[in-house]
Amino acid sequence: MATPPSIELRFRLPDGNDIGPNNYTEAANVATLKEHVIEQWPKDKENGPKTIKDVKLIYAGHVLENHRTLAESRLPVGDSLTGVVTIHVVLRPPGARINNGDQRNDVEWREGCSCSIL
C-alpha cells in the first residue's frame, strides 16, 4: 500500500522563531495546521494565540483558508517538493475584535497584509 504524498512544513512566528519542521499529508486541512501551531507555541512567549481565529497562515502571499486542504491550497506536495516549506504565522493583535458590522468600535481583522514600508 502506497503512502499518501506528504509535505514538510515549518511555521515562522512573528518574532522570527520557527515551529517544526513536521510532516503533514496533502489531506491535512489548514484548521488542523493552526491547531498544531497553537499547541506548539513557545510557552515563554506572551500573548500566544488561544483559538484558530487568532491565527492566520500565509504562504506565497496568500492567506490559507481553514476549510481547504494542503493540496487545495496549492502548496507543493509530493515528488515536486525538494525541501521544507515555510508558512508565516500572523496573529490577531491582543484586544482586537472581529468586525461584526459595527465599524465604529471594532478593529477590523482584514484579509490582507498590514505591512508599512518606511
Side-chain angles (χ1 to χ4, degrees):
M1 179 187 255
T3 60
S6 66
I7 182 171
E8 192 171 15
L9 299 178
R10 167 185 26 233
F11 300 98
R12 177 75 35 96
L13 304 180
D15 64 358
N17 290 325
D18 293 334
I19 294 175
N22 293 306
N23 284 319
Y24 298 91
T25 65
E26 67 179 355
N29 65 19
V30 174
T32 303
L33 299 180
K34 289 181 177 184
E35 290 170 359
H36 177 76
V37 167
I38 294 168
E39 290 170 7
Q40 298 297 316
W41 193 265
K43 302 303 179 209
D44 60 337
K45 305 281 183 209
E46 292 183 14
N47 300 328
K50 305 292 186 238
T51 68
I52 63 172
K53 292 180 181 180
D54 296 337
V55 178
K56 283 195 179 189
L57 300 180
I58 300 177
Y59 173 72
H62 298 284
V63 176
L64 303 180
E65 299 175 30
N66 288 346
H67 65 279
R68 293 193 179 264
T69 65
L70 293 180
E72 293 171 338
S73 297
R74 298 188 181 186
L75 269 73
V77 179
D79 295 335
S80 64
L81 182 63
T82 59
V84 178
V85 174
T86 300
I87 295 180
H88 293 269
V89 178
V90 178
L91 299 180
R92 182 178 354 169
R97 296 180 297 206
I98 296 174
N99 185 0
N100 58 3
D102 183 10
Q103 294 185 2
R104 292 173 289 149
N105 296 322
D106 290 342
V107 175
E108 192 170 333
W109 181 233
R110 298 173 194 228
E111 293 289 333
C113 182
S114 63
C115 301
S116 297
I117 300 174
L118 302 174

